[in-house]
Amino acid sequence: MIMKRIITSILLGAVLSVASVGLNAQALPDDIVLKNDHVELRFGGSEKNFFFRYFYFDGVNILPSTGSVTHPWEVTLLGPNGENPTLQPKFTYYKGGKFEEKDGVQKATFTWNLVIEAQEWPLNISVTLAPDDDMPHWTMDASMPEGWILTQADYPRIMVKRLKGEAKGILPYGYGAEYDMPTNSQLQMRYPSVTGIMEMVMMHNGESTVYFAAEDTLGCNKLLTMKGEGNNVVFYQSAITSYAWSEGGHFQLPWSVVMGYNPENWQKTAVKWYRPFSFTTKWGEKTIAQRQIAPWIKNADMWLRPIDVTPEMKDALYKALAYYGKGVGLHWYFWQHLPYDTNYPDYFPAKDGFKEAIEKSQKMGAFVTPYINGRLWDTANHTYKELDGKDASCRKTDGSLYTEVYSSKVINTVTCPSSPIWQKIIYDLNDRILTELGTNGVYIDQIGCAASVPCYAPNHDHAPGGGQWWPESYRKMLTDIRKDLYGTKNLAITTEENVECYMDLFDMMLVVNSPHTPYVKMIPLFPLIYSDRCVYSGFTYVPWKLNDGSFNYITMKSLLWGSQLGWVSPELLMRDENHNEQVFLKNLAEFRKGQHDLFLGGNFIDEFIPGGDNPVVNIPNYQKTNVVMGAQWLSTKGRGAYILANMSTTDRTVTLPDGKQVTVKALSALRFNIKK
């Protein structure tokens, strides 16, 4: 790219309602046009009222016939006396637009003057288009009197036509989630969190796709929204800003937003546009082969989830380890002396028999990672007073604490990851677990899952508000822990969920919170982008009834999407009534061990439904599915392969996408290499 992508976003709506303007319509004297071989944008009202007339991609206008009739931006300010206005263009003076071109890069800038302290201050939105750009880049800046702060920016706001047919919305929620595109409500994701593990959303109809993304390599807090308004959809980004971005009386958002239309499906669109962007980030630049990942994690093709240290649980665990053999990962809950989700960050002493259970499991070839929480602090715990926990807690604008209550019923506060107090607590916990208990790693909950929050604590070592300090603070914490405690010792740090901005600092990410209801379809968006960058396990939370088809469905889909298998309670798994589930998990785990050229650095391409003898069954709490499902992968050597999994108890002869017929044994999997 000719221009460095470190700007912001604002797609421009319209304040006027005008007649449709075609691609070949005669330009008005005050129109501003940006155009290259792929994209053409026309803005009217360079001296009068701002108007976004049309937005063409290879001859297709994605705007309604009336143009984008939504306000292009909205900002909230904070003044020195507590003034807190929310402003839209209608509350300001439009000053027109201008066109510039330098080294082939075209730029349109539009200005509104905000009235602050009886003076006018400019707010600018800019759209740039380089000759080789598939999409224009939208940015924003503003000037204000000294002492004023721009605290929230909604930009760009762009209204497009709803795609024809069955329009669907895609959010990067867990693995990925597909919804019916609403007509009078909205689909929204928060980044970084499990509801927004990547910085993009899409609308598609199975044939074409509208793509909207923030190209932010800092990982800042933001919302991306698709708001249905009848036959139209408004795409917009909202950012709670850092006060530092308004220093010196000038606000600049440090990234750009892009929007594009692709006459292909959502899978090809995500790979075409988001995957190349991910390579420019610190978290996505390295492949699995280039990263320092504990060898045992790479080889952990299945996981068990022991809960507590009871005799019953240990008996079931040892039975499972004897059955499944060496190399199993153990993600261990309820090992601490106090009830789960209470008294954090107090975990020691461990329950009686836990250290001995770890040692026996390891002798049987297993690897142990006990659970801790990396985000919550219980104010009732003695350490909150003793260690000045109040100085480490995130604060709202009014000074109150962010508090969260879970099934444990106790009040937990959200701790600021920038706090040296908290950084030391998590560091010391890792050190003590590794040395005193002799584990193979630690599972740190919530870092890769729970949402960041803006923090306004005056004594913290970051500017108030949102911004990059949240992911930067966790990245510092994890980097220090890895360097000092883990190094090259074959020890692993894992976390819950798969927010991309921490991906390169965890050996494995557990993905289990993806929504799956009759109204939401899980889709493999994450593997499409990051299958060669991240080791991940899980599919969804495992239901308490396994033999209704749900666990075999989870096992099958986990394999096809590249996930490590299992993450199931050994007490539940090893019950007599779950024999078929035990066998299927074992067969697929053993099969997976021979496919590391796909699952450790290969690329997931897509999943497919084989033809032939492939009946449909209904999986409770999930969806209807064929009993044999397939996925296409590209190996680390660039060779294509089909993976098939048969969750039924009958051999099935099915047809591959290339027309070949193969037989997949009952409760097993099969690889079929694609000849060039």
Side-chain angles (χ1 to χ4, degrees):
M1 289 297 173
I2 295 177
M3 294 201 58
K4 192 176 181 181
R5 299 181 178 183
I6 56 164
I7 358 182
T8 43
S9 42
I10 278 213
L11 243 173
L12 312 165
V15 182
L16 302 178
S17 180
V18 300
S20 173
V21 180
L23 180 61
N24 299 316
Q26 184 175 354
L28 299 177
D30 59 355
D31 278 1
I32 292 178
V33 178
L34 303 180
K35 183 178 180 180
N36 64 16
D37 291 341
H38 306 289
V39 183
E40 181 172 347
L41 307 87
R42 183 180 295 275
F43 304 96
S46 60
E47 296 180 357
K48 299 177 183 178
N49 292 311
F50 170 82
F51 185 54
F52 189 9
R53 294 187 185 278
Y54 63 66
F55 195 0
Y56 274 89
F57 289 89
D58 294 323
V60 177
N61 178 24
I62 66 172
L63 300 191
S65 61
T66 53
S68 180
V69 287
T70 186
H71 53 284
W73 57 265
E74 180 175 304
V75 297
T76 301
L77 306 179
L78 178 64
N81 301 313
E83 304 95 328
N84 191 32
T86 296
L87 301 177
Q88 298 176 3
K90 64 184 178 182
F91 302 122
T92 67
Y93 294 107
Y94 180 62
K95 307 304 289 185
K98 65 177 181 179
F99 174 85
E100 305 169 80
E101 185 170 0
K102 183 178 180 181
D103 298 328
V105 178
Q106 304 167 54
K107 181 179 181 180
T109 302
F110 304 92
T111 301
W112 289 260
N113 279 359
L114 317 179
V115 181
I116 307 173
E117 296 181 352
Q119 297 184 47
E120 294 187 20
W121 300 84
L123 180 148
N124 304 304
I125 58 175
S126 298
V127 189
T128 58
L129 185 67
D132 57 347
D133 279 347
D134 288 336
M135 299 176 286
H137 293 255
W138 307 83
T139 63
M140 172 189 264
D141 68 273
S143 295
M144 297 163 289
E146 191 72 36
W148 282 76
I149 298 164
L150 197 156
T151 60
Q152 180 167 328
D154 291 4
Y155 56 86
R157 293 178 55 92
I158 307 166
M159 177 182 284
V160 304
K161 292 179 289 190
R162 183 186 180 96
L163 293 176
K164 295 180 180 179
E166 295 186 8
K168 304 287 186 180
I170 288 178
L171 300 182
Y173 189 159
Y175 274 111
E178 180 186 79
Y179 303 77
D180 291 335
M181 180 59 68
T183 57
N184 60 355
S185 60
Q186 64 188 28
L187 298 175
Q188 187 176 80
M189 68 79 148
R190 177 178 293 279
Y191 180 92
S193 77
V194 64
T195 68
I197 59 100
M198 292 183 274
E199 303 173 271
M200 57 102 120
V201 294
M202 293 181 285
M203 173 175 64
H204 80 103
N205 61 1
E207 298 177 351
S208 57
T209 307
V210 175
Y211 172 90
F212 185 75
E215 296 200 335
D216 171 19
T217 60
L218 301 174
C220 299
N221 180 298
K222 59 183 67 70
L223 296 172
L224 296 183
T225 302
M226 296 179 286
K227 183 181 180 183
E229 295 186 359
N231 292 324
N232 301 318
V233 178
V234 177
F235 286 76
Y236 64 96
Q237 173 190 246
S238 302
I240 297 177
T241 69
S242 167
Y243 285 17
W245 298 346
S246 295
E247 288 180 354
H250 187 76
F251 169 82
Q252 176 77 55
L253 200 85
W255 68 85
S256 66
V257 169
V258 294
M259 187 177 209
Y261 169 83
N262 186 19
E264 295 185 291
N265 61 28
W266 69 263
Q267 295 95 326
K268 292 181 179 179
T269 301
V271 171
K272 177 181 181 180
W273 284 329
Y274 200 83
R275 186 164 157 81
F277 161 70
S278 74
F279 298 159
T280 70
T281 68
K282 60 179 72 74
W283 57 81
E285 63 181 354
K286 293 182 179 180
T287 65
I288 289 174
Q290 294 167 330
R291 290 178 52 198
Q292 182 178 306
I293 298 174
W296 78 259
I297 281 282
K298 292 183 178 182
N299 295 317
D301 292 285
M302 66 162 282
W303 288 77
L304 294 171
R305 183 167 54 98
I307 301 174
D308 216 325
V309 196
T310 64
E312 294 79 11
M313 191 287 302
K314 290 189 288 185
D315 288 346
L317 173 61
Y318 303 146
K319 180 180 178 181
L321 293 179
Y323 180 70
Y324 287 102
K326 296 181 178 180
V328 175
L330 303 183
H331 175 193
W332 210 311
Y333 283 81
F334 297 11
W335 60 273
Q336 65 268 36
H337 68 295
L338 293 167
Y340 181 65
D341 272 351
T342 71
N343 284 281
Y344 291 154
D346 195 355
Y347 296 86
F348 283 91
K351 287 181 177 176
D352 291 343
F354 182 52
K355 183 175 175 60
E356 292 75 18
I358 292 172
E359 292 172 351
K360 182 169 182 178
S361 299
Q362 290 171 332
K363 287 179 180 178
M364 297 182 73
F367 296 85
V368 180
T369 58
Y371 172 101
I372 64 170
N373 193 294
R375 181 172 170 271
L376 301 179
W377 200 335
D378 183 349
T379 58
N381 185 270
H382 63 95
T383 59
Y384 195 77
K385 181 178 181 179
E386 295 167 0
L387 300 177
D388 291 323
K390 67 182 190 311
D391 291 335
S393 295
C394 288
R395 300 278 174 175
K396 301 178 183 179
T397 52
D398 62 2
S400 62
L401 300 178
Y402 292 93
T403 55
E404 297 178 358
V405 179
Y406 296 88
S407 58
S408 60
K409 314 279 193 306
V410 306
I411 295 173
N412 289 294
T413 62
V414 177
T415 316
C416 186
S418 75
S419 164
I421 300 170
W422 190 245
Q423 296 244 348
K424 186 176 188 307
I425 284 173
I426 300 302
Y427 182 103
D428 289 347
L429 265 173
N430 275 264
D431 190 16
R432 188 174 181 185
I433 289 170
L434 292 172
T435 57
E436 188 172 315
L437 298 178
T439 67
N440 305 99
V442 179
Y443 173 94
I444 310 178
D445 193 13
Q446 290 207 327
I447 294 179
C449 177
S452 63
V453 298
C455 177
Y456 302 89
N459 62 324
H460 287 188
D461 188 23
H462 63 78
Q468 65 267 38
W469 62 267
W470 182 283
E472 283 181 352
S473 299
Y474 270 130
R475 289 187 65 84
K476 179 185 182 303
M477 174 194 293
L478 294 167
T479 299
D480 290 346
I481 289 172
R482 291 187 70 89
K483 176 174 64 71
D484 295 346
L485 304 180
Y486 288 77
T488 58
K489 301 174 184 177
N490 199 20
L491 301 173
I493 313 176
T494 66
T495 192
E496 177 187 12
E497 296 310 319
N498 53 330
V499 169
E500 63 181 0
C501 60
Y502 312 118
M503 186 175 66
D504 58 312
L505 296 173
F506 286 108
D507 296 84
M508 185 274 286
M509 305 183 94
L510 171 68
V511 190
V512 290
N513 278 292
S514 305
H516 50 94
T517 73
Y519 312 103
V520 184
K521 178 184 178 183
M522 285 178 63
I523 57 172
L525 175 59
F526 181 74
L528 271 174
I529 306 300
Y530 287 125
S531 58
D532 64 338
R533 259 64 181 165
C534 180
V535 177
Y536 46 99
S537 71
F539 186 73
T540 62
Y541 279 93
V542 175
W544 290 110
K545 184 176 176 60
L546 300 188
N547 59 6
D548 59 0
S550 57
F551 186 68
N552 280 356
Y553 175 77
I554 289 171
T555 302
M556 174 176 70
K557 296 287 276 191
S558 295
L559 176 77
L560 297 177
W561 289 9
S563 174
Q564 295 176 336
L565 313 178
W567 197 70
V568 58
S569 162
E571 281 189 276
L572 180 61
L573 177 64
M574 301 311 292
R575 293 175 183 172
D576 292 342
E577 66 267 23
N578 297 325
H579 174 73
N580 287 340
E581 288 67 33
Q582 298 166 19
V583 171
F584 192 44
L585 178 59
K586 183 174 184 177
N587 288 344
L588 264 59
E590 291 178 348
F591 171 81
R592 194 183 189 281
K593 289 183 186 298
Q595 317 305 324
H596 285 184
D597 64 320
L598 303 180
F599 301 134
L600 283 177
N603 293 111
F604 174 85
I605 305 300
D606 204 358
E607 63 179 348
F608 62 89
I609 302 173
D613 177 19
N614 195 5
V616 174
V617 294
N618 186 41
I619 306 300
N621 301 312
Y622 286 88
Q623 62 185 60
K624 291 182 178 179
T625 182
N626 295 82
V627 296
V628 181
M629 290 292 294
Q632 183 177 346
W633 281 76
L634 199 65
S635 76
T636 53
K637 295 182 179 180
R639 297 172 182 169
Y642 295 128
I643 297 294
L644 300 171
N646 177 8
M647 62 179 283
S648 74
T649 55
T650 302
D651 295 354
R652 304 287 178 181
T653 299
V654 296
T655 306
L656 297 173
D658 61 7
K660 293 184 174 63
Q661 286 193 331
V662 295
T663 298
V664 189
K665 298 292 186 181
L667 299 176
S668 69
L670 177 69
R671 173 174 176 165
F672 189 88
N673 291 323
I674 302 172
K675 295 182 180 179
K676 293 183 179 180

